[in-house]
Amino acid sequence: MNDQLERLNRLPLRANLRGISPYGAPQLDVPILLNVNENTHGVPLNVREAITAAVTEAATGLNRYPDREFTTLRQDLADYLGHGLGAENIWAANGSNEVLQQILQAFGGPGRSVLGFPPTYSMYPLLASGTDTEYLRGVRADDYGLSAEDAARQVRELKPNIVFLCSPNNPTGTGLGLDVVEQVYAAGAESQTIVIVDEAYHEFAHDGTPSALTLLEGRERLIVSRTMSKAFALAGARVGYMAAAPEVTDALRLVRLPYHLSAITQATAIAALTHREALMADVEDIKVQRDRIVSELTRLGLKPAASDSNYVFFGGLADPGTVWQQLLDAGVLIRDVGIPGHLRVTAGTEPETTAFLAALAEILDHAPELRS
C-alpha cells in the first residue's frame, strides 16, 4: 500500500468510497491527443471572438451573483434542441457529469439503485458511489449490443430507481434504437424508474438518426442528457444540460448549489450557441474523419465498431497494451479502455487522423502478430 493511500484510509471515509479510484484518463504531453473524445478542431476564430466579447461584458458585473435560473441560456438551449421544448424543460450545470450527479442526488441515494450496462461510460459507477446509490451492472450481448427486449427484462427483474442508457454508447460508439428507450421506460412503470438517455455525442450520429428528445412528451420519468463539451468544442468551459418534464427541473432545484453556473460560464455558452453554425461545420468534418478511420482500420484487418460518435472502438488486437504503447512512442495518444483485444481512438483533424493511421499501419506491418 502506498503512503498516499495509507493516509487516505486513516480518514473516516465513507465505506462505499474505500478502495475505488477517481476518474481519470492519462494526461500526457504528446503531439497528437486522441484519447478523451475532445473536439480536436478547437473553437473557430469568430466564435472565440464572440465568447471573448461576451465574457468581457459579463466581467463588468462579477461583483454580483449570476442569474440563478440561467434564464437566457435555458431558452437558447431549448431553441437549439427544438422538438417543442421550452426553457421550463431545460436544466444545465458544470458539465453533463454534474447534471447526472444532480439527478442521482434527487432520485438516487441510500437504499436506492441505478442500473448501467457495461461496458459503458466509466463515470456512472463513480457517480453512484459519490451519491451512495447502489450501482447495478446490467448485461449486454457478446457483441456489446443491447436489445430492447433484454434491456426491458433486466429493468423488470432488478427494479432500479434510475437507468443509464448511453447512446451513442461510450466506449463502443454505437447508438441505441428508440425502441430500447421506449421498452425500458415502459418496463420501469411499476418501479417508477427514472430513465436517463445520455446523448453526449448525438451531434456526431449519422444523418437521420433519431434522438430520444422525440420521446419526451408524455414521459415525465424520461431525461435526455447532452453536453457542450463535444460538438461545441467547449470541454474547457464545462457546460452540460438536459431536457425533461418541468417537474424534473424542479426536482434538481432542490439539490443544486446556489448560483451553480457562473456568469462567465453562461456568457460563454450563450455566445457559442449564437454561432453554432460554424461549430456544426467542424462536426461534419470530424464525422468524415471518423468514417475514414472505420474504413482504414477495416482495410488493416482490424474490427472497428460502427460509430455514431466522434471516436472509433476497434478490436482485432492480440496485445492492445503493446499497440497503445507503441502508438504513444510514436507521439499518438489513444485510449486503452481495458476491454480485451480493443482500443478506442478519437477522430482527429485530417493531419492527426493521417498520423494515427500511418503509425498504426507501421506498427502492424512490423509486428503482424499484434493482430488477433
Side-chain angles (χ1 to χ4, degrees):
M1 182 183 296
N2 63 45
D3 182 61
Q4 184 178 2
L5 182 58
E6 185 176 349
R7 285 186 283 113
L8 174 64
N9 283 335
R10 287 201 298 264
L11 293 175
L13 194 66
R14 284 193 346 232
N16 69 310
L17 296 181
R18 291 188 180 276
I20 66 172
S21 299
Y23 175 85
Q27 290 186 306
L28 304 175
D29 186 15
V30 297
I32 299 176
L33 300 170
L34 302 175
N35 68 320
V36 288
N37 304 338
E38 294 161 322
N39 186 319
T40 50
H41 286 52
V43 182
L45 177 60
N46 67 321
V47 184
R48 293 202 307 269
E49 290 174 344
I51 289 172
T52 299
V55 168
T56 299
E57 175 63 25
T60 64
L62 287 182
N63 59 310
R64 303 293 185 185
Y65 286 114
D67 175 10
R68 185 175 59 232
E69 290 297 307
F70 44 99
T71 309
T72 301
L73 175 57
R74 285 167 54 225
Q75 185 58 59
D76 286 357
L77 286 168
D79 293 342
Y80 166 66
L81 292 178
H83 298 287
L85 297 169
E88 68 277 6
N89 299 108
I90 305 299
W91 189 254
N94 295 284
S96 59
N97 286 328
E98 186 176 59
V99 173
L100 299 177
Q101 181 185 59
Q102 290 174 344
I103 295 170
L104 265 65
Q105 287 175 317
F107 300 105
R112 296 192 171 197
S113 63
V114 57
L115 173 63
F117 296 93
T120 191
Y121 185 33
S122 59
M123 271 301 298
Y124 295 157
L126 295 178
L127 290 166
S129 293
T131 55
D132 208 4
T133 307
E134 182 184 5
Y135 186 70
L136 305 175
R137 298 179 182 274
V139 178
R140 291 177 176 266
D142 290 342
D143 64 356
Y144 307 120
L146 184 65
S147 71
E149 294 76 13
D150 194 35
R153 175 188 57 78
Q154 294 181 65
V155 170
R156 284 192 296 271
E157 290 176 358
L158 296 171
K159 295 181 171 52
N161 299 98
I162 304 167
V163 174
F164 283 124
L165 295 175
C166 192
S167 182
N169 187 45
N170 184 0
T172 60
T174 49
L176 292 174
L178 292 188
D179 61 328
V180 178
V181 181
E182 291 174 309
Q183 291 198 36
V184 164
Y185 187 89
E190 181 183 348
S191 51
Q192 285 293 284
T193 300
I194 295 289
V195 178
I196 306 168
V197 184
D198 185 349
E199 291 190 343
Y201 299 93
H202 180 78
E203 286 91 346
F204 299 98
H206 288 86
D207 293 345
T209 301
S211 165
L213 292 170
T214 60
L215 302 178
L216 283 173
E217 187 173 358
R219 292 181 173 91
E220 72 280 356
R221 293 180 287 105
L222 180 62
I223 300 171
V224 179
S225 172
R226 293 280 188 96
T227 182
M228 296 187 75
S229 293
K230 311 300 181 181
F232 283 85
L234 291 182
R238 311 308 302 128
V239 186
Y241 60 102
M242 51 136 256
E247 52 266 38
V248 174
T249 64
D250 286 340
L252 300 195
R253 286 181 176 87
L254 302 176
V255 298
R256 62 104 178 263
L257 294 175
Y259 311 103
H260 70 289
L261 274 182
S262 76
I264 300 301
T265 299
Q266 293 181 44
T268 298
I270 291 167
L273 284 161
T274 302
H275 294 80
R276 57 181 173 265
E277 291 81 5
L279 293 159
M280 292 305 115
D282 282 345
V283 166
E284 291 306 309
D285 188 60
I286 291 168
K287 289 163 68 174
V288 169
Q289 298 307 315
R290 175 209 53 208
D291 293 343
R292 177 186 170 207
I293 291 171
V294 171
S295 176
E296 287 300 302
L297 292 183
T298 302
R299 187 183 64 80
L300 290 173
L302 301 177
K303 300 173 183 176
S307 178
D308 275 306
S309 55
N310 71 334
Y311 53 88
V312 177
F313 176 74
F314 62 100
L317 298 170
D319 188 352
T322 295
V323 174
W324 180 89
Q325 184 61 56
Q326 291 189 16
L327 283 168
L328 180 61
D329 294 342
V332 181
L333 178 62
I334 68 171
R335 188 70 174 266
D336 186 344
V337 292
I339 297 175
H342 290 77
L343 293 171
R344 190 193 71 193
V345 60
T346 306
T349 61
E350 191 279 333
E352 289 172 335
T353 300
T354 297
F356 159 69
L357 291 170
L360 181 59
E362 184 175 359
I363 290 167
L364 296 177
D365 283 345
H366 281 84
E369 69 275 8
L370 292 174
R371 293 186 182 90
S372 61

